Amino acid sequence: MNHILIGGAARCGKSTLAREVRESTDMQSLSGDAFRTTLRKTAERGTFPALHVARAEKIPAEKSFVDHHSTNAHLEIETKRTQARFIWPYIENYILAIEHESTDSVLVESIDVWPDLIAMSGLRHRAAFLVNTSPDQAERIIASRGTNPYDWMHENEYSDARIRAWSDFNAQRGTLIRDLAEEAGYLCVDLAEVSFSDGQTLAKNYLLET
């Protein structure tokens, strides 16, 4: 069976999709976010600049946050891609180690899974990407305030201005991911075109196709 790779922009259902796929298979799974966090905590700061770059999500001053995500969205996207270029070889080697030891397939969900990176991989894999280029992405997030105690934006008390600036950046990131996925021949589900549930079903069926 192929390894399954799930990538895409933030807040588009990658974790939900990974959970659904995991429940339908007996595959080992790896959370790229947890993997990246572990590397950050264990690697000495300064050793890997791409790993320890300042996180734009943590910019404290609202104007600086909004300006960065609005005016410098392309720079933030490139920062994310630089990080992914650093992280992906570690994820790939982890998968290869599992494959060598047990021949088991691995399910990976991560924002560090980018279409152009995995297209160059020699891994047996099937991949799907989830993005949201919808112009009303921010308003939906704002409207959901208070409905999910684990929502990291509301947990960190993001203002409406922060959410709108971040959503514009996320849509631009999603557009690039979508274009790269199409170029590489991977499925990319855009929540601007389908509902969340329909997108999950489409991606799940595609990933579990034999």
Side-chain angles (χ1 to χ4, degrees):
M1 184 177 180
N2 289 322
H3 301 295
I4 291 180
L5 308 176
I6 299 172
R11 298 187 67 101
C12 293
K14 296 189 303 299
S15 297
T16 302
L17 175 60
R19 183 170 61 252
E20 290 288 325
V21 172
R22 188 167 58 246
E23 290 175 354
S24 299
T25 69
D26 58 356
M27 299 176 68
Q28 298 194 43
S29 64
L30 174 69
S31 164
D33 289 350
F35 190 82
R36 186 184 340 100
T37 298
T38 301
L39 281 179
R40 279 201 186 109
K41 289 181 177 180
T42 55
E44 184 177 348
R45 182 168 290 278
T47 305
F48 305 117
L51 183 63
H52 291 118
V53 66
R55 298 174 63 188
E57 294 90 345
K58 300 292 186 180
I59 295 175
E62 179 156 306
K63 185 178 186 306
S64 297
F65 180 101
V66 171
D67 288 347
H68 178 81
H69 284 85
S70 300
T71 308
N72 300 314
H74 63 291
L75 296 178
E76 182 60 19
I77 290 170
E78 186 51 40
T79 296
K80 300 294 188 190
R81 282 178 58 72
T82 298
Q83 175 183 264
R85 293 185 194 104
F86 176 83
I87 297 290
W88 170 247
Y90 286 91
I91 296 176
E92 183 176 26
N93 283 326
Y94 172 86
I95 296 172
L96 288 171
I98 297 297
E99 187 178 76
H100 176 72
E101 292 178 2
S102 65
T103 70
D104 289 344
S105 294
V106 182
L107 164 65
V108 176
E109 172 267 314
S110 177
I111 60 169
D112 294 315
V113 171
W114 281 75
D116 53 332
L117 293 182
I118 67 173
M120 296 185 293
S121 171
L123 295 171
R124 301 173 290 107
H125 68 276
R126 183 177 286 267
F129 295 83
L130 302 172
V131 301
N132 188 350
T133 64
S134 173
D136 67 353
Q137 179 180 176
E139 303 313 313
R140 293 186 180 186
I141 296 173
I142 291 170
S144 71
R145 184 178 282 125
T147 62
N148 181 358
Y150 302 105
D151 188 310
W152 60 271
M153 282 190 165
H154 301 325
E155 183 180 355
N156 288 286
E157 299 182 342
Y158 269 38
S159 67
D160 290 2
R162 280 180 182 256
I163 291 173
R164 291 190 177 101
W166 181 89
S167 295
D168 287 344
F169 149 74
N170 201 45
Q172 291 182 53
R173 170 168 54 177
T175 298
L176 177 58
I177 292 170
R178 183 191 63 198
D179 293 346
L180 290 171
E182 290 176 356
E183 183 177 331
Y186 295 118
L187 173 71
C188 185
V189 176
D190 190 344
L191 297 181
E193 301 171 353
V194 298
S195 68
F196 184 89
S197 60
D198 286 348
Q200 291 283 308
T201 299
L202 177 63
K204 179 183 176 182
N205 289 344
Y206 172 80
L207 291 173
L208 295 179
E209 215 173 69
T210 57

